[in-house]
Amino acid sequence: MIDSQVAQRFADYETNVFAKMSRMAHEHGALNLGQGFPDFPGPDFVKEAAVEAIRAGYDQYSPTSGLPDLTRAIAEHYRDRVGLDVDPDTEVTVHCGCTEALAASLVGLVNPGDEVIVFEPYFDTYRPGVALAGGIARFVTLEPPRFAIDPDRLRRAFGPRTRAILVNTPHNPTGKVFSRRELELIAALCREHDAIAIMDEVYENLVFEGEHVSMAALEGMRGRTVTLSSLGKTFSLTGWKVGWSIARPPLTTAIRRAHQTLTFAAATPLQYAAAKALRAPRSYYDDFLAQYRERRGLLVEALEEIGFIVFPPAGTYFVLADHTPFALGDDEEFCVHLTREIGVAAIPPSYFYSDPAKGRDLVRFAFCKTQGVLRQAIDRLRTLQPRRSPQKALTR
Ligand code: PMP
């Protein structure tokens, strides 16, 4: 196939970095702290519900907006946990994971030539997602060690062509949880410029420090916010790809038009089980967080001892660190060395920046792994020798 025979829309986007690193991990028998998928199963009560649905004959398409029991469970979840009053019939759409919810939101809401503000480092589908819609991404960099918003930079990114801002809180890969103050600044700019806030909240139940603030709950934002999330992280079921979007009816109508073209509907038996999952008792969410708090403590402490400059995450199941004390090249070289020589795979963050140079000193580890695997990985990482002592500030 020659280049002129295929569309150029995604020509600049290489093979997905996660797939690439997972392949390399497999080839070298490395422990995979790269791609963010749990190495333990999802909860039995949810899996049993899916089996029950398959046995009961939930075999055909669900409505394109989602199985009514699931859209109701989503609305209940947001009422009880976030305090949002959501109409399950006109304001909720079930998607094939948050990835499709993002694509449908961008394609449904952004016109060609519109600008979309994206914080970097960003989740890897954001850029091609904006490109898919024909939009133009405007990047605002979050700088280590605190990854705080620079208000002037953000203000300058807004303009007459801004259609939307894409915000991921808690944030992959930095582990940042956007503060209420930061979200209020974004909200004020959205109101001033008549822009939509597209909120990716897939890590909403993984907050270790501070609080998760839902943009839709801020004054004047309900009508201009799209809230996205999915089952994958909270229920350790990333392969199920059940996600959702929540927005007022005019935005939901536009998102649904895109969704019905992209995928039409998510898998029916999995939606049935997702409704059961979202109705889990409070204790499920508490245990889930407590277990991740332990994994986070284990990895963060070890990485610091080993000699990384660590940016301890306030949320998510990722930790970002500066690898330069080991003097093993840039982020890709470091990750290749780690996978081949040390037996631990991680992700090179330069893929998460519009200018890859900004991510060259960093490495991302995922701690959605059993403690046994994390301890084994830590033992392997202890063979790394820092050549320079960490000097940079650690405060966040
Ligand atoms: N957004 C972010 C920030 C993510 O980290 C991920 C998964 N790694 C997704 C979206 C994708 O979610 P899903 O698997 O539900 O499509």
Side-chain angles (χ1 to χ4, degrees):
M1 183 70 66
I2 51 170
D3 251 14
S4 61
Q5 286 179 302
V6 300
Q8 295 304 296
R9 193 173 293 115
F10 295 123
D12 291 343
Y13 303 100
E14 282 188 59
T15 311
N16 179 290
V17 62
F18 307 113
K20 210 157 106 179
M21 293 314 294
S22 286
R23 202 175 331 112
M24 202 190 292
H26 186 71
E27 277 165 20
H28 294 274
L31 298 167
N32 194 352
L33 305 195
Q35 198 169 3
F37 61 84
D39 66 351
F40 42 85
D44 279 342
F45 77 96
V46 189
K47 297 207 301 191
E48 287 305 323
V51 171
E52 187 182 290
I54 290 171
R55 291 227 169 87
Y58 279 75
D59 294 335
Q60 311 309 333
Y61 298 125
S62 66
T64 180
S65 55
L67 208 62
D69 192 39
L70 177 56
T71 54
R72 275 197 301 274
I74 293 168
E76 286 162 23
H77 180 83
Y78 281 84
R79 182 196 62 209
D80 298 344
R81 289 181 63 88
V82 188
L84 283 184
D85 185 17
V86 176
D87 183 306
D89 298 327
T90 59
E91 298 187 327
V92 181
T93 308
V94 176
H95 299 264
C96 296
C98 184
T99 307
E100 191 257 312
L102 264 162
S105 303
L106 289 165
V107 174
L109 301 171
V110 173
N111 276 315
D114 286 349
E115 291 181 358
V116 179
I117 299 172
V118 177
F119 290 105
E120 61 179 359
Y122 43 72
F123 179 56
D124 71 324
T125 65
Y126 288 7
R127 245 182 115 187
V130 173
L132 184 67
I136 297 159
R138 296 280 310 263
F139 299 102
V140 175
T141 309
L142 302 168
E143 307 274 1
R146 293 173 52 78
F147 302 104
I149 293 179
D150 175 335
D152 291 333
R153 258 191 219 174
L154 182 62
R155 246 179 235 115
R156 282 199 301 274
F158 275 84
R161 302 180 73 106
T162 306
R163 169 74 59 178
I165 179 166
L166 197 44
V167 185
N168 171 215
T169 184
H171 182 257
N172 171 11
T174 65
K176 170 190 174 68
V177 175
F178 282 68
S179 68
R180 185 176 289 277
R181 225 170 130 189
E182 288 177 314
L183 292 171
E184 273 168 357
L185 170 66
I186 296 170
L189 289 165
C190 283
R191 288 192 300 264
E192 188 185 330
H193 294 272
D194 194 20
I196 299 165
I198 302 176
M199 305 298 300
D200 175 346
E201 302 185 354
V202 293
Y203 299 101
E204 65 198 306
N205 295 303
L206 273 174
V207 177
F208 311 108
E209 287 166 28
E211 53 163 351
H212 170 68
V213 177
S214 188
M215 178 68 93
L218 296 186
E219 206 187 319
M221 288 307 288
R222 185 70 174 83
R224 57 174 70 253
T225 301
V226 181
T227 305
L228 310 177
S229 193
S230 77
L231 206 66
K233 322 292 169 185
T234 305
F235 292 92
S236 310
L237 294 164
T238 59
W240 282 29
K241 301 299 285 183
V242 177
W244 50 87
S245 61
I246 298 172
R248 285 289 193 216
L251 299 183
T252 287
T253 303
I255 293 168
R256 283 183 183 174
R257 284 189 191 130
H259 163 66
Q260 70 183 6
T261 306
L262 290 170
T263 58
F264 187 77
T268 308
L270 303 186
Q271 292 194 54
Y272 175 92
K276 299 267 189 282
L278 286 176
R279 294 189 177 114
R282 179 82 230 179
S283 59
Y284 172 82
Y285 294 90
D286 293 343
D287 289 350
F288 170 78
L289 184 62
Q291 286 176 24
Y292 269 104
R293 196 182 285 285
E294 279 186 25
R295 294 182 187 113
R296 167 188 180 258
L298 194 69
L299 186 61
V300 166
E301 200 177 304
L303 292 176
E304 281 171 353
E305 274 170 23
I306 291 164
F308 286 92
I309 302 164
V310 185
F311 309 112
T316 77
Y317 50 48
F318 302 109
V319 53
L320 212 53
D322 182 325
H323 62 78
T324 55
F326 302 98
L328 286 166
D330 66 20
D331 62 328
E332 285 199 64
E333 290 162 335
F334 182 79
C335 286
V336 169
H337 177 88
L338 217 58
T339 309
R340 289 195 181 147
E341 311 298 329
I342 310 288
V344 176
I347 295 292
S350 53
Y351 285 86
F352 305 147
Y353 288 91
S354 58
D355 172 7
K358 291 183 180 168
R360 292 289 181 216
D361 291 351
L362 302 172
V363 55
R364 191 198 79 175
F365 295 99
F367 52 90
C368 44
K369 311 291 166 178
T370 51
Q371 288 210 17
V373 166
L374 287 176
R375 284 181 206 279
Q376 233 183 313
I378 289 166
D379 285 345
R380 293 185 184 185
L381 290 170
R382 286 197 198 280
T383 60
L384 279 169
Q385 297 293 328
R387 305 202 188 153
R388 286 190 269 123
S389 56
Q391 291 159 346
K392 298 181 192 172
L394 281 175
T395 44
R396 50 176 305 137

